[in-house]
Amino acid sequence: MELLPARLRAAGFEAESVRAVPGGVVALAGLATLRDGSQVFAKTLRAPASDLFEVEAAGLRALRELGGVATPRVLAVTRDLLVLEPLPPRRDDDERFWEELALALAGLHAATAGERFGWHRDGWLGRLRQDNTWDADGHAWFARRRILRWLPEPLVEAALDRAERQALERLCAALPDLLPPAPPVLTHGDLWLENILAAPAGGPALIDPAVSYSWAEADLSMLWCSPRPPAARRFFEVYAATAPLPDGWQERMPLYHLRELLSSIAHDDNARECAEAVREIVAPF
């Protein structure tokens, strides 16, 4: 952890100590205690990756300012360092917490309907670029920028054979028949459990976004297709009561989740298990 204290000092933060924080898959992260006794959360990269932290900070601001979602305050951002307000962990035994998260996410999606899919700049999903090129056609955009974009990645090429890749292409061609038309809304873009924390006041807060204007159901799919604590049992019911979901949404969740499965393969994160899940989804095609 020597690198993180050095970069904090270079940015004007004199840390008395830095405790490593587990869970990140890209950056070196830690909770730093400063000379005045206050704490900050900071993360860095061994090899700086151009605008990764700048994009992350902008995404946090967009979620907060455009969608009213709680996110950590950005205290400093440079090419090789991001310093944030520290947040407490969520309480997985608190049903009200998950209901508040459902309301916050429904509010985000309801308040940010746009006219095009994408974002004004490309972003990052993990260590790899996220192509956010604007497009008015949601089905074409999702196929090209969120599914087929992963096929040239070396680990995806190695995991899926020619027939499976062709099945993915046929699935993408059929998306207009599989996914109902819906407006683009601002989405977090990487809404798995590790990116959900608590705000200082106790409600839900979101971290590590990969924002873009996409379909609301794409955000929901990451929570639907991942294990959730029992206290989250009413999450989707509360969301749908505020922002109604078209019939059949449960059956559509795996289609949206293809992006996450392909990204995980590309990052060598549970690649074998994710490849099996992809094969199951594309089998009818």
Side-chain angles (χ1 to χ4, degrees):
M1 290 294 291
E2 295 84 359
L3 186 60
L4 192 53
R7 288 184 171 164
L8 278 165
R9 284 194 299 272
F13 295 87
E14 291 294 338
E16 292 286 345
S17 64
V18 179
R19 175 172 59 84
V21 175
V25 296
V26 177
L28 301 171
L31 186 66
T33 300
L34 307 182
R35 284 183 175 177
D36 63 2
S38 64
Q39 292 186 318
V40 298
F41 173 83
K43 57 184 179 179
T44 190
L45 302 168
R46 288 187 175 87
S50 62
D51 62 349
L52 187 148
F53 289 144
E54 180 186 343
V55 168
E56 181 177 339
L60 292 170
R61 285 192 294 269
L63 290 172
R64 183 174 62 254
E65 295 173 4
L66 299 179
V69 176
T71 63
R73 290 181 295 114
V74 177
L75 305 178
V77 57
T78 69
R79 188 172 181 270
D80 58 12
L81 182 71
L82 181 63
V83 184
L84 301 173
E85 167 193 23
L87 297 179
R90 66 179 187 273
R91 287 185 53 190
D92 280 349
D93 61 348
D94 185 349
E95 291 192 5
R96 182 56 189 164
F97 176 92
W98 291 96
E99 293 170 8
E100 289 178 4
L101 177 63
L103 293 172
L105 197 64
L108 164 70
H109 295 156
T112 58
E115 297 180 352
R116 295 183 298 167
F117 295 82
W119 192 240
H120 64 273
R121 65 191 301 173
D122 285 347
W124 295 86
L125 187 62
R127 300 186 302 271
L128 298 171
R129 272 290 186 183
Q130 176 169 279
D131 184 349
N132 290 330
T133 304
W134 291 111
D135 197 323
D137 185 332
H139 295 97
W141 179 85
F142 196 82
R144 186 177 304 119
R145 313 298 177 189
R146 293 297 180 265
I147 298 179
L148 299 178
R149 167 263 177 274
W150 297 102
L151 295 191
E153 293 291 339
L155 293 178
V156 176
E157 287 188 327
L160 302 177
D161 64 26
R162 181 180 179 185
E164 291 158 350
R165 296 160 65 84
Q166 289 176 335
L168 264 173
E169 292 169 351
R170 288 192 291 271
L171 182 153
C172 284
L175 283 181
D177 298 320
L178 300 171
L179 304 178
V185 299
L186 183 63
T187 57
H188 177 279
D190 195 12
L191 197 62
W192 67 306
L193 289 181
E194 293 300 322
N195 288 341
I196 302 168
L197 296 178
L206 302 182
I207 63 170
D208 290 351
V211 301
S212 67
Y213 278 85
S214 182
W215 286 312
E217 290 186 5
D219 250 0
L220 296 178
S221 69
M222 290 199 66
L223 289 175
W224 179 262
C225 296
S226 303
R228 301 179 299 281
R233 62 185 180 83
R234 294 192 65 243
F235 173 88
F236 293 96
E237 176 187 343
V238 172
Y239 179 99
T242 303
L245 296 167
D247 290 345
W249 65 268
Q250 296 97 329
E251 289 73 26
R252 293 190 293 273
M253 292 289 101
L255 298 177
Y256 296 107
H257 198 56
L258 274 169
R259 189 237 33 188
E260 179 60 21
L261 294 171
L262 292 166
S263 168
S264 294
I265 297 170
H267 283 91
D268 200 18
D269 181 15
N270 294 323
R272 182 175 299 181
E273 179 181 336
C274 291
E276 286 301 319
V278 170
R279 293 186 186 101
E280 183 176 346
I281 295 169
V282 304
F285 299 89

